[in-house]
Amino acid sequence: MAFSVISKKSGKTYFLHQRHQELKGGQKVILYYFGAEPKEGAIDALPEGYEVSENSKTGLPLLKKKK
C-alpha cells in the first residue's frame, strides 16, 4: 500500500512516489513527489530523514528534510 496523505485544505488524498533521475553532469538523484493516484514508482513508506508539510495556499503536500 502506497504512503498517503490527506490534504487538510481540500480533503483529497495524495500518494508518495519516487523517481530516479540522472542530471546533465551525470549525477544520479532521487526525486520524491505526490500524485493523486498511486502509479508506477509509488512507495510504501516515508523516506528516512523527511517529513510531510502542506502548502498553505494550495493544500498540496510537500516533503521536507527534517532539521
Side-chain angles (χ1 to χ4, degrees), residues 5-14 34 52-62:
V5 174
I6 298 174
S7 172
K8 294 174 188 168
K9 185 171 183 170
S10 66
K12 293 183 181 178
T13 302
Y14 294 95
F34 285 93
V52 177
S53 66
E54 189 172 299
N55 184 314
S56 60
K57 291 183 181 180
T58 63
L60 293 174
L62 308 167

Side-chain angles (χ1 to χ4, degrees), residues 12-24:
K12 293 183 181 178
T13 302
Y14 294 95
F15 299 92
L16 183 61
H17 295 76
Q18 75 176 5
R19 184 175 78 210
H20 297 274
Q21 183 80 28
E22 186 173 339
L23 303 177
K24 288 183 181 180

